[in-house]
Amino acid sequence: MPKNLFLPLLFLLLLCTCGRAGKIADTGHWAAAYSAQEAIVFERLLCNYEENPQVIAGDRPQFSWVVKATGYNRQQTAFRVLVASSPELLAKDEGDVWDSGKLLSTSTTHNLFEGPALAAGRRYNWKVKIWDEADVASAWSPVQFFTTGLGGEADWDDAQWITVPTDERTSEHRFRFFQTGAMKEPVQVSSFPAGYFRRTFEVKKKIASARAYIVGLGYYELYLNGKKIGDQVLDPAPSNYDKTSYYVVLDAKEELLVNQNTLGIKLGSGFYGQNLAFRRDPESAKSLAYGPPAVRMTLKLIYEDGTTGSIVTDSKWKSIPGPIVFDNIYGGETYDARFEQQGWHENDFDDNIYQKVKITTPVVGTIVPQVIPPIRKIKALKPREIFRGENGNWILDFGQNIAGWIRMSVKESEGTKVQLQLTEALKRSGNAIHLGSTGGGASGLSQQLIYVCGSNERETWEPGFTYHGFRYAEITGISRRPEKDDFTAFLVSTDVRETGSFQCSDSLVNRMAEVSKWTVIDNLHGIPEDCPQREKCGWLGDAHATAEFILYNYDVAAFYEKYMNDIRTQFRSVKGGNDKNKFSVPTMIAPGRRTSTIAKLDWGIAAIYLPWYHYLHYGNEQIVSEYYADMKQLTAYYLSFKNADGIIENGMGDWCPPRWDRKSNPSAMECHPVVSATAYFYDILKVMRAFSEVMGEKEYAGFLDSEIESLHTAFNRVYLEQVAGTNYSWYGSQTATVMALQFGLVPEEEEENVVNGLVYDIDVVNSGHHTVGIHGNRYLYSVLSDHGMADLAYSVLTHPDFPSQAFVLHTGFTTWPERQWDWSENIEFGNSLNHPMHSGFAAYFHERLGGIRPMIADPGYKQFVIDPIIPKTINYADAEIQSPYGLIKNNWRKEGDSFSMKLSIPFNTSAILPLTAAKAGTVKVNGTEWKKDTFAPSPMDSLTLGSGVYTVSFEL
C-alpha cells in the first residue's frame, strides 16, 4: 500500500472534497450545455457485482450502476430504485416489491435493498434512475433481473445425495503408481470410481422455466438429452466441504423436450474425493478426502399454466459403469474408451440391467449458492513445435506454461494406451522432458493424461476432472508422427473479467506485465492457488503478496469474498503466545485438509489484508463489518507474541529470495522472519486503525494508536542500524528497509539516511541487484520511485544478470518460477515454474508507472490519485483500470522535458493529481494554464479534477 494512505484526518477530509467547478478555466466547457437524459448513459447495472445474476447469496442484494456522462465534473446527487415482480410492472414505473423513493445520495455502488423479505428461488426485476449535480433526472435504466437462492432444506424438494453403489471397474488401466521421495518403492493405487448417473422423465406441458440446482461433492457435469448444460468445467469451486459447499444454478429450458427426457450426471473426485496425493505429507490431515464423491440436484420446472414440478436425485436414478477409470486432481485422468456406453445420457439407452444409485449421507456443511464466475476453458493453444526426444518419444511444446489440459485426436488400434506425460520444462540438453514439479515428489503422483483406444478408428478425447501446469507433453503409445492439428492445449481458469491493462515504451517491461498476468490466471481455480501442478493450495502468504496486482487487473470482488470465507471456515482455536487464552485463527493454507500449521503472522494477515484490499478497491463497507470481529481477534492473537523488546516474535519470512533454500541455504534469506513480520504487523495495526474509524470504535482506535506508537519505537530501537563503512542507516536487509519505508516506520529525520542505505546496498554491495523475496519485492520498485530513485527502480527491475525479473525472462520462462536460482549455472529447472506470489511486484506498473492508485479517504476509486513516477528510459505509458465507477485511463507521453497526460475520469468520481514531477508554473489543463483557484479545491499544491476527459501537460 502506498505510504500516504494513512494521513492525518484533517488531510483526509480535504482530499474528500469533490466539489464541482462551474467552468474548466476559460475553455467554455460548461456542464449545462446538454440534456441530462441525453447525456447520461447506464453502461453497466450490477446486482452483487454481477449483471443479471442467475442466483444471489442472501436476501439483501446490493445495486450498483456504472454511468457515462458527457461534460465535466458530473456527479449523482440522488437515485431511485424500483424492484418489481415482473418487467411489465416496471414498464409502468411500478415497484410492487420495493420503491426506494428519491434518496439523496451520491452513492452509485453497493446500495442495499431495503424492502421486505424476498421469496426464495424467485426472479425479481429492477431498474434505477438518478439525478445529477443540477438535480436533473436521467431516464430510467434498462430493466435488469436477479434471482434469489434456495431458502432452506425444503426448497431441495426432497432431493437426496447419490453416489456410485459399487466399484465396477475392470480395466487394467484403473491403477497408478504412487511414490513420494521418502518411499523406496512405488505402490499401486486407485481413485474413487467416477459416477455416470441417469434418469428419464416426462414433460407433458409447455415449459416456462427449467432451472437445475446442483451441488457436486467433487466435480460434476450435467447433461440433458445428451447435451451438456452450461460451459463451466471443474465445477463447483473447492471449499472446506465440511463447513461450506456450493450449489450451481443452470438454465435447462432450451434442452428440454416435449414428452420423454433424460438427465445425466457425470461425477469425478475433485478435491472432495482426493484420496491419494499428499497422503503421507506431514503438512496434511491423515486423509485429504472428505469421502467418496456425491451429488445432489433438483430440476425445478415452471409450466406456462403456472403449475410447478421438480425432478430430483433419488433412488430412481441408475448408475452406469463408464470409461473414466481413474481421476485425481493431481495425478490426472485415465479414460478407457473400450468401456464407453454410447448414449448413456440419452432417451433411447436401455438401462434395465444396471444398478440403482446408492443413497448416501456425505460429509457436508452449509450449502450456499456459488456466485463467483465459473471455471471455463479460456484459451486454446496449438503446439508451437513437435520434436523427438532423446528416448525416441515425441514431445509437444505449446510455447507457454499454462494450467489446464490437452485434447488429443488419435487413430490407433483398439486397446492401445496413449499417454501424455505433462511437464513444465525440458532438461537443459533440450531433447528430453524434465519432470520437476509434475513427476510426483511430495504429492506422490506423476501427472499424466492416459487414453485407451476403444476402436481402430480416429477418436478424440479430453479430460474433465483434472488440470495440470505444463508447457510440454511427452507422448507414448502412438505409431506415427503426431500432427499439430491432433493436439490442443486449453488454458482452464476461473473466468474473472480482465479490468486492467498496462503498456509502455519498454517492451521488456511490457513482457513482465504479460508474464505476471499469465502466472496469475494460471492459478485461479476457485481459489488463488500457489501453483497449478505440485500443490494447488491456497497459501495465505502467497495470496496477499499478489492481491494488489490482481485487483488492478481483474474483477475479483466476488472471488475474493469467496476466498475470505474459505479462510474463515478454516479457522482453528489455539492458545496465544504470552496470552494462554484461546483465539480463533487461520491456518497457513485454505481451503481443504492440507492445512500446514497455524498461520504464521506474515501468512495469517491475509485474513486482514484481503478485506482491506477489497475495501480499498471496491469500497464495500459490508466487507469490513462482516470480518471486523475476526480481524480484531487475529490482531489480538499476534499481539500476544510481543516480547520484552516490543517486537512480535512470530513469522515465516520473506519467501524465496535469491539462492535461498530452507534446507541447503537458509542464510540466503537476509531478513530474519521476525523483522519482516513485525514490519507487516505495524501496517496491520494501521489497517485496523482505519477499520476502527469505519466501524466507529473510538476506544479501540485509541488502543491501536498506542500500539502503533509503541511498535514504531521498538522497531527502530531494535533494528535501525548504521550501514557498515558508511554514514547511512538501514534495518539490516533490503527487505526490512523497503518494508520500513513503505509502511512509515522510518523516523522522518532518518528517512534520507535510510534511503541512502538501501541504495548503497543495492548499488555498491550487490552491484545493482536486489536480494529480496516475495514480500520485499512487492514494494521495492514503488519505494525506490517514491524516494526519488525511479531510475534505480527501473535498473534493478531490468538488470540482465541474476538476480532480476529481466534475468528470469531472458532465461526463457513464460511464467514466474517459484525459486530465484541462477539458471545460468546450467542447473535443471526444479520446483514449480509457475508461482503467482512473484507477480506481486507488478502492481508497480499501475501504481507508479501508470500512477493510478485508490485512496482510503474515499475507497473504491470514488476518489483516486493520478501521479506517475517516470524513469528517464520510459517515454510513454498507457494504464487503464475498469473501476466500480467506470474506466480510469492515464495515457502519458514524454518528449524531452515536456510531459502530458490524457486522462479519463469516470462519472461521480474525482482524481487528485499531486503533480510531484511538474515544474512550477508550467501546468496546463486542456490547453489552459492552471491557477490554483480555477479548479476544484485541493490540498497543498495538488490539482483535483472531476469527471471528464482531460489533457494535463507540464514541463519536468
Side-chain angles (χ1 to χ4, degrees):
M1 282 171 291
K3 68 176 185 178
N4 64 348
L5 292 184
F6 293 96
L7 301 170
L9 181 59
L10 178 60
F11 185 46
L12 293 184
L13 292 173
L14 285 169
L15 293 183
C16 287
T17 305
C18 305
R20 179 190 174 196
K23 192 177 179 183
I24 299 297
D26 295 316
T27 59
H29 290 130
W30 288 87
Y34 49 80
S35 160
Q37 292 197 0
E38 294 174 356
I40 291 177
V41 176
F42 290 95
E43 285 196 322
R44 298 188 75 212
L45 294 142
L46 307 174
C47 178
N48 293 9
Y49 310 119
E50 189 177 355
E51 294 181 81
N52 296 324
Q54 288 288 339
V55 65
I56 64 168
D59 59 0
R60 291 193 70 196
Q62 295 182 338
F63 302 112
S64 304
W65 41 93
V66 176
V67 171
K68 189 171 184 179
T70 57
Y72 290 86
N73 303 303
R74 304 299 309 282
Q75 298 179 47
Q76 174 185 290
T77 56
F79 70 84
R80 180 185 177 194
V81 172
L82 297 180
V83 179
S85 57
S86 71
E88 292 76 18
L89 285 172
L90 283 186
K92 297 186 288 184
D93 297 339
E94 294 180 14
D96 63 324
V97 177
W98 182 52
D99 183 344
S100 70
K102 182 179 179 181
L103 297 175
L104 299 180
S105 171
T106 62
S107 173
T108 58
T109 61
H110 319 303
N111 295 294
L112 269 174
F113 172 79
E114 299 287 1
L118 299 173
R122 178 78 178 272
R123 177 164 164 166
Y124 293 91
N125 306 274
W126 70 281
K127 66 179 182 179
V128 62
K129 73 186 304 182
I130 68 171
W131 284 260
D132 71 1
E133 68 285 348
D135 199 32
V136 176
S138 72
W140 284 104
S141 73
V143 173
Q144 304 291 291
F145 70 83
F146 65 89
T147 307
T148 53
L150 300 182
E153 183 61 30
D155 288 336
W156 281 93
D157 306 319
D158 295 323
Q160 295 175 291
W161 293 99
I162 61 174
T163 189
V164 175
T166 57
D167 187 351
E168 299 182 86
R169 291 173 292 179
T170 59
S171 170
E172 66 273 27
H173 301 293
R174 66 188 183 277
F175 301 106
R176 292 283 185 93
F177 286 111
F178 176 88
Q179 184 179 18
T180 64
M183 297 170 63
K184 293 182 179 180
E185 298 292 335
V187 296
Q188 209 171 50
V189 296
S190 184
S191 66
F192 285 117
Y196 287 77
F197 310 132
R198 62 173 271 122
R199 182 190 165 176
T200 60
F201 64 97
E202 289 190 348
V203 172
K204 300 274 189 178
K205 296 184 287 186
K206 290 185 178 181
I207 292 289
S209 169
R211 290 162 58 85
Y213 296 76
I214 182 167
V215 53
L217 302 179
Y219 293 138
Y220 75 90
E221 290 180 357
L222 177 65
Y223 296 85
L224 182 55
N225 299 320
K227 296 179 181 178
K228 184 183 172 186
I229 306 299
D231 60 356
Q232 73 285 347
V233 298
L234 302 177
D235 214 28
S239 62
N240 295 306
Y241 297 96
D242 55 340
K243 305 294 195 312
T244 305
S245 294
Y246 294 99
Y247 69 83
V248 177
V249 182
L250 301 170
D251 190 339
K253 180 184 176 183
E254 294 302 316
E255 283 72 25
L256 272 175
L257 302 174
V258 177
N259 296 320
Q260 185 164 307
N261 292 270
T262 298
L263 279 166
I265 297 175
K266 195 188 296 185
L267 183 66
S269 291
F271 284 99
Y272 184 90
Q274 198 293 104
N275 60 341
L276 301 177
F278 294 102
R279 61 197 296 180
R280 302 187 182 189
D281 177 48
E283 295 185 319
S284 305
K286 290 183 179 180
S287 173
L288 269 67
Y290 294 82
V295 65
R296 188 189 199 194
M297 186 208 70
T298 177
L299 175 63
K300 291 182 175 289
L301 306 175
I302 301 177
Y303 300 100
E304 288 188 355
D305 63 7
T307 59
T308 62
S310 63
I311 308 297
V312 302
T313 47
D314 55 19
S315 60
K316 297 176 184 177
W317 288 63
K318 291 291 188 76
S319 177
I320 315 298
I324 297 178
V325 296
F326 178 92
D327 75 283
N328 182 273
I329 199 69
Y330 294 94
E333 195 169 311
T334 301
Y335 189 97
D336 193 335
R338 296 172 299 174
F339 294 89
E340 282 185 343
Q341 304 275 10
Q342 291 295 331
W344 68 273
H345 44 21
E346 296 176 355
N347 285 330
D348 295 335
F349 186 82
D350 185 358
D351 61 12
N352 287 323
I353 66 172
Y354 297 108
Q355 297 184 74
K356 289 185 177 182
V357 295
K358 178 182 178 181
I359 304 301
T360 186
T361 304
V363 174
V364 64
T366 304
I367 302 171
V368 298
Q370 178 170 291
V371 295
I372 66 171
I375 299 172
R376 292 189 173 100
K377 293 194 290 188
I378 304 296
K379 189 179 182 66
L381 290 80
K382 286 294 183 182
R384 188 175 71 178
E385 185 181 2
I386 300 176
F387 60 94
R388 276 196 188 275
E390 62 183 14
N391 60 3
N393 294 331
W394 292 102
I395 297 174
L396 308 174
D397 176 5
F398 290 96
Q400 173 66 47
N401 199 356
I402 69 168
W405 58 65
I406 297 173
R407 181 173 63 201
M408 66 173 79
S409 179
V410 296
K411 188 177 187 300
E412 301 293 339
S413 59
E414 181 180 346
T416 300
K417 175 185 172 183
V418 181
Q419 176 176 300
L420 297 178
Q421 174 68 61
L422 304 175
T423 181
E424 293 188 281
L426 301 176
K427 290 186 176 180
R428 297 309 289 261
S429 64
N431 58 7
I433 62 170
H434 176 64
L435 290 179
S437 63
T438 61
S443 74
L445 292 170
S446 188
Q447 299 185 23
Q448 301 166 349
L449 301 177
I450 297 174
Y451 181 77
V452 181
C453 298
S455 72
N456 299 328
E457 303 302 317
R458 177 165 293 277
E459 298 172 348
T460 301
W461 170 78
E462 64 184 278
F465 294 143
T466 189
Y467 69 95
H468 307 283
F470 65 95
R471 172 176 171 172
Y472 303 92
E474 182 183 70
I475 313 170
T476 56
I478 59 173
S479 59
R480 57 182 64 85
R481 188 189 194 284
E483 300 295 330
K484 289 185 179 181
D485 286 344
D486 294 340
F487 298 91
T488 304
F490 290 101
L491 167 64
V492 174
S493 176
T494 299
D495 194 10
V496 292
R497 187 171 66 101
E498 190 171 356
T499 54
S501 65
F502 174 84
Q503 190 173 37
C504 71
S505 59
D506 191 304
S507 60
L508 181 59
V509 171
N510 294 339
R511 179 63 180 149
M512 290 179 194
E514 181 184 1
V515 167
S516 297
K517 280 189 169 183
W518 265 109
T519 314
V520 162
I521 208 67
D522 279 349
N523 285 278
L524 300 182
H525 296 101
I527 61 171
E529 65 196 1
D530 66 326
C531 58
Q533 10 58 16
R534 190 184 65 217
E535 296 186 67
K536 308 184 184 188
C537 289
W539 287 89
L540 271 63
D542 303 43
H544 78 75
T546 194
E548 288 171 286
F549 171 71
I550 294 175
L551 284 157
Y552 275 122
N553 288 280
Y554 298 98
D555 180 356
V556 285
F559 181 84
Y560 272 146
E561 284 193 19
K562 184 265 181 190
Y563 186 59
M564 290 178 216
N565 187 65
D566 290 333
I567 296 173
R568 167 190 271 177
T569 54
Q570 193 78 292
F571 276 18
R572 301 287 188 268
S573 180
V574 296
K575 292 181 179 179
N578 304 318
D579 183 344
K580 299 309 177 183
N581 289 320
K582 288 289 188 75
F583 298 87
S584 186
V585 300
T587 55
M588 293 286 284
I589 301 170
R593 288 190 165 175
R594 186 168 188 256
T595 59
S596 187
T597 60
I598 295 301
K600 298 293 186 181
L601 188 155
D602 37 4
W603 262 239
I605 55 175
I608 297 175
Y609 267 145
L610 291 180
W612 168 246
Y613 296 147
H614 192 289
Y615 177 61
L616 194 59
H617 284 262
Y618 298 113
N620 190 347
E621 287 191 7
Q622 280 203 307
I623 292 298
V624 184
S625 58
E626 174 71 19
Y627 289 95
Y628 187 62
D630 292 343
M631 294 188 289
K632 285 181 68 175
Q633 185 167 182
L634 187 58
T635 302
Y637 171 72
Y638 289 127
L639 270 173
S640 76
F641 288 88
K642 184 191 292 187
N643 65 18
D645 289 324
I647 299 299
I648 311 300
E649 285 193 349
N650 190 305
M652 188 76 173
D654 186 29
W655 212 241
C656 292
R659 294 190 176 90
W660 173 85
D661 184 87
R662 58 179 158 182
K663 293 182 180 178
S664 63
N665 192 17
S667 63
M669 186 182 287
E670 296 181 359
C671 182
H672 192 282
V674 166
V675 183
S676 52
T678 299
Y680 261 137
F681 193 66
Y682 180 77
D683 192 49
I684 286 296
L685 289 173
K686 295 200 292 183
V687 168
M688 292 304 297
R689 178 64 173 80
F691 280 158
S692 71
E693 290 284 342
V694 175
M695 298 299 294
E697 285 204 351
K698 294 183 179 179
E699 184 176 346
Y700 186 55
F703 165 76
L704 291 168
D705 286 337
S706 176
E707 291 294 337
I708 289 167
E709 182 179 358
S710 173
L711 189 55
H712 186 282
T713 300
F715 191 86
N716 284 283
R717 183 180 65 247
V718 175
Y719 296 125
L720 183 61
E721 62 185 33
Q722 189 170 355
V723 177
T726 74
N727 293 322
Y728 306 141
S729 301
W730 76 332
Y731 294 87
S733 67
Q734 288 184 21
T735 290
T737 306
V738 164
M739 295 178 80
L741 287 164
Q742 172 69 19
F743 299 144
L745 272 162
V746 182
E748 185 176 352
E749 66 275 11
E750 288 285 348
E751 193 167 288
E752 183 178 354
N753 246 353
V754 170
V755 171
N756 288 335
L758 174 62
V759 171
Y760 178 84
D761 189 76
I762 292 171
D763 265 348
V764 179
V765 179
N766 289 285
S767 304
H769 293 91
H770 73 73
T771 60
V772 296
I774 61 172
H775 301 307
N777 204 42
R778 161 61 189 95
Y779 302 113
L780 175 62
Y781 312 102
S782 294
V783 162
L784 288 172
S785 297
D786 286 344
H787 291 88
M789 299 293 168
D791 292 331
L792 179 60
Y794 174 84
S795 176
V796 174
L797 188 66
T798 60
H799 201 298
D801 301 327
F802 173 83
S804 74
Q805 307 301 135
F807 171 80
V808 175
L809 298 188
H810 294 328
T811 306
F813 290 103
T814 61
T815 50
W816 299 121
E818 176 184 18
R819 296 303 184 92
Q820 295 190 66
W821 284 335
D822 188 352
W823 308 106
S824 67
E825 296 174 353
N826 212 35
I827 57 177
E828 296 293 354
F829 296 115
N831 294 81
S832 164
L833 305 183
N834 196 342
H835 245 66
M837 65 184 187
H838 286 297
S839 290
F841 83 94
Y844 157 75
F845 299 143
H846 269 96
E847 69 188 13
R848 292 304 184 272
L849 293 183
I852 303 172
R853 304 194 302 275
M855 296 180 62
I856 186 55
D858 225 335
Y861 295 94
K862 182 74 168 71
Q863 191 170 55
F864 52 93
V865 172
I866 298 181
D867 187 26
I869 302 178
I870 313 143
K872 293 178 181 177
T873 47
I874 296 180
N875 297 316
Y876 75 82
D878 297 332
E880 294 185 3
I881 297 172
Q882 286 284 353
S883 79
Y885 293 88
L887 179 65
I888 299 171
K889 182 188 296 185
N890 180 15
N891 297 345
W892 62 258
R893 302 292 182 267
K894 181 179 64 174
E895 295 182 9
D897 291 332
S898 297
F899 184 82
S900 66
M901 295 182 287
K902 290 187 177 180
L903 307 176
S904 291
I905 301 172
F907 175 84
N908 209 38
T909 70
S910 60
I912 291 182
L913 284 64
L915 303 174
T916 54
K919 186 176 181 180
T922 67
V923 177
K924 294 182 179 180
V925 180
N926 290 351
T928 300
E929 181 181 352
W930 171 52
K931 296 178 181 178
K932 192 166 183 180
D933 59 354
T934 304
F935 301 95
S938 311
M940 299 184 296
D941 294 323
S942 62
L943 163 66
T944 296
L945 297 176
S947 68
V949 178
Y950 300 88
T951 297
V952 177
S953 61
F954 51 81
E955 297 298 307
L956 297 170

